[in-house]
Amino acid sequence: MKIMCKTLLGLCLGFALGSQFAMGEDQPGSEDLNRLPLTEIRTFSEVFEKIKSDYVEPVEDSELLENAIRGMLSGLDPHSSFLDSHAYQDLQEGTSGEFGGLGIEVGMEDGFIKVISPIDDTPAQRAGIKAGDLIIRIDDTPVKGMSLTDAVKKMRGKPGAPIVLTIVREDKDKPFKVTLIRSVIKVRSVKSRMLSPELGYVRISNFQSHTGEDLRTAISKMKQQNKDGIKGLILDLRNNPGGVLNAAVEVSDTFLTDGLIVYTEGRVPDSSLKFNAKPVDMLNGAPVVVLVNGGSASASEIVAGALQDQRRAVIVGYQTFGKGSVQTVLPMNNKSALKLTTARYYTPSGRSIQAEGITPDIVLDKLKVTTAEPLVSGPIKESQLSGHLKNGDGEEHAASSEEKSESLATTDYELYEALNLLKGMTILQAYKQR
């Protein structure tokens, strides 16, 4: 009987459900049973049995049931999925900061793979992959109809192995191919440098478990480079696809002393959480400018939204991606896991990020700055007059500073504008403190 029920699982299940359905409303417990979609479950069992008996090739029960689970989750939203043992391990490696592949964060859109963001210093970023690109082929395989998990699995492989992606880009007339070489991806999520003796720059490429600690370390090092400390900071979250929620909270808390950072709401009590800031602000109130764009998603939007609502930073750039949902990873017994959307993010003022994103305080135009050809003749300066008085090192310093600003404007216009804004904010704050 045990073997027969395994073979005729659909019939056994249908019979059992039919028996339960026949109990009627007057039977004990029938109210709870009537809440089950008995007709749909019976249909499922019939389909299962038809595939088992009539499909052209034999199919294992486990394969059919796993595919059913994947289909059930794929119909919910783009971020809920079933993770087999390999996918679950890949997810754990990604949050720890080291994994193999191309270094690309992707999602699903209209059946194609959409690039949310390339990760800094990875094959994808070096090959010129951009946020918003649609991947329509992986090598010679069309991705239409392919699950996100299968697509990610196909893009990963042995370091050194080539892969060809066919890309559709908004500003291109036709699809084009990009060849990448897989490598071991070691993501350093925080990079920093001084843009001037008093103005710092921090780039966060994604949010890992240790990102908050790395940010505090970076700020401490920059403070040590300047005896007067940091007078202002640019926090660059462009093309940051997100990551660990706690890391986003820690990053926000680095610049806040109190108040709400983010809260979540869902159907179950455990999904409703509030995160509040604690002292101390590492910059002691120094101005902060946050750079965002369409590739800034999830945890990046939490940070931008928190600092914007708390009026702690000025947000500059373009409308963010708009992923405001919380995914909970639920481990299963067979080393697999269920990644299920369980809640929505809300900024301190109660704004939902989902499908809206964060609107910057200052929206930049999408343009590219090029260097103009020098004029043959133009206004004469004091420095061009014969026998003019020298100004020591100041003259040379001014020239090198101007050249540096021109270079930044042409190589990274958005950062150039953010730096100009930060300079103005620091000057204004200095006036107020006099």
Side-chain angles (χ1 to χ4, degrees), residues 136-388:
I136 61 172
R137 282 180 177 269
I138 301 174
D139 286 329
D140 294 326
T141 306
V143 302
K144 190 72 172 179
M146 190 183 296
S147 70
L148 182 61
T149 301
D150 289 340
V152 170
K153 187 183 297 184
K154 192 169 182 62
M155 285 188 284
R156 293 192 173 187
K158 293 182 179 180
I163 182 173
V164 178
L165 302 181
T166 303
I167 304 290
V168 172
R169 185 172 293 169
E170 188 175 315
D171 58 355
K172 299 288 186 181
D173 294 333
K174 56 183 181 180
F176 60 96
K177 294 184 177 181
V178 179
T179 301
L180 304 93
I181 305 298
R182 297 180 178 93
S183 67
V184 175
I185 309 299
K186 295 182 179 180
V187 180
R188 184 159 61 96
S189 65
V190 177
K191 296 180 181 179
S192 63
R193 69 179 191 269
M194 297 299 295
L195 295 176
S196 74
E198 297 179 338
L199 302 179
Y201 169 86
V202 173
R203 160 74 181 159
I204 300 180
S205 58
N206 65 339
F207 288 86
Q208 302 167 2
S209 55
H210 49 76
T211 297
E213 180 183 352
D214 291 347
L215 172 63
R216 292 188 291 272
T217 300
I219 292 176
S220 296
K221 288 182 178 179
M222 286 190 292
K223 283 182 175 180
Q224 294 172 5
Q225 294 176 19
N226 184 31
K227 62 179 181 179
D228 295 327
I230 301 176
K231 298 295 180 66
L233 181 77
I234 293 175
L235 180 63
D236 190 350
L237 300 180
R238 290 174 297 176
N239 295 322
N240 181 323
V244 180
L245 170 61
N246 287 340
V249 172
E250 289 181 19
V251 168
S252 303
D253 199 5
T254 302
F255 308 106
L256 298 170
T257 57
D258 57 21
L260 189 61
I261 293 175
V262 66
Y263 68 95
T264 64
E265 289 185 353
R267 292 175 59 200
V268 297
D270 290 345
S271 63
S272 298
L273 301 170
K274 288 187 177 182
F275 298 88
N276 293 287
K278 302 180 292 293
V280 184
D281 176 1
M282 283 197 71
L283 295 184
N284 297 317
V288 177
V289 174
V290 178
L291 271 173
V292 296
N293 64 4
S296 305
S298 191
S300 297
E301 296 172 293
I302 290 175
V303 174
L307 298 182
Q308 186 180 53
D309 282 3
Q310 295 283 13
R311 299 186 178 181
R312 180 62 187 89
V314 176
I315 314 301
V316 177
Y318 314 117
Q319 190 81 10
T320 61
F321 184 77
K323 182 186 177 296
S325 59
V326 183
Q327 281 70 49
T328 302
V329 178
L330 306 169
M332 312 295 283
N333 293 329
N334 58 351
K335 296 183 179 180
S336 63
L338 180 65
K339 187 172 75 168
L340 189 65
T341 300
T342 55
R344 285 183 171 89
Y345 294 122
Y346 294 88
T347 69
S349 65
R351 294 180 295 163
S352 172
I353 299 171
Q354 179 59 28
E356 293 291 335
I358 300 295
T359 302
D361 299 305
I362 299 175
V363 178
L364 298 177
D365 292 328
K366 294 187 177 181
L367 52 85
K368 182 178 180 181
V369 177
T370 57
T371 304
E373 293 295 327
L375 297 174
V376 177
S377 62
I380 298 176
K381 299 180 180 180
E382 171 71 15
S383 60
Q384 296 173 316
L385 296 178
S386 177
H388 69 275

Side-chain angles (χ1 to χ4, degrees), residues 80-135:
S80 295
S81 61
F82 175 75
L83 307 174
D84 59 25
S85 58
H86 297 293
Y88 185 30
Q89 183 179 355
D90 290 342
L91 177 67
Q92 292 172 310
E93 290 173 352
T95 57
S96 66
E98 183 173 336
F99 54 93
L102 304 177
I104 185 171
E105 181 78 13
V106 294
M108 293 293 293
E109 182 173 290
D110 299 329
F112 294 109
I113 307 300
K114 182 174 183 177
V115 176
I116 296 176
S117 173
I119 300 173
D120 290 351
D121 297 327
T122 62
Q125 191 263 343
R126 289 190 290 268
I129 302 296
K130 296 182 178 181
D133 286 349
L134 287 179
I135 301 173

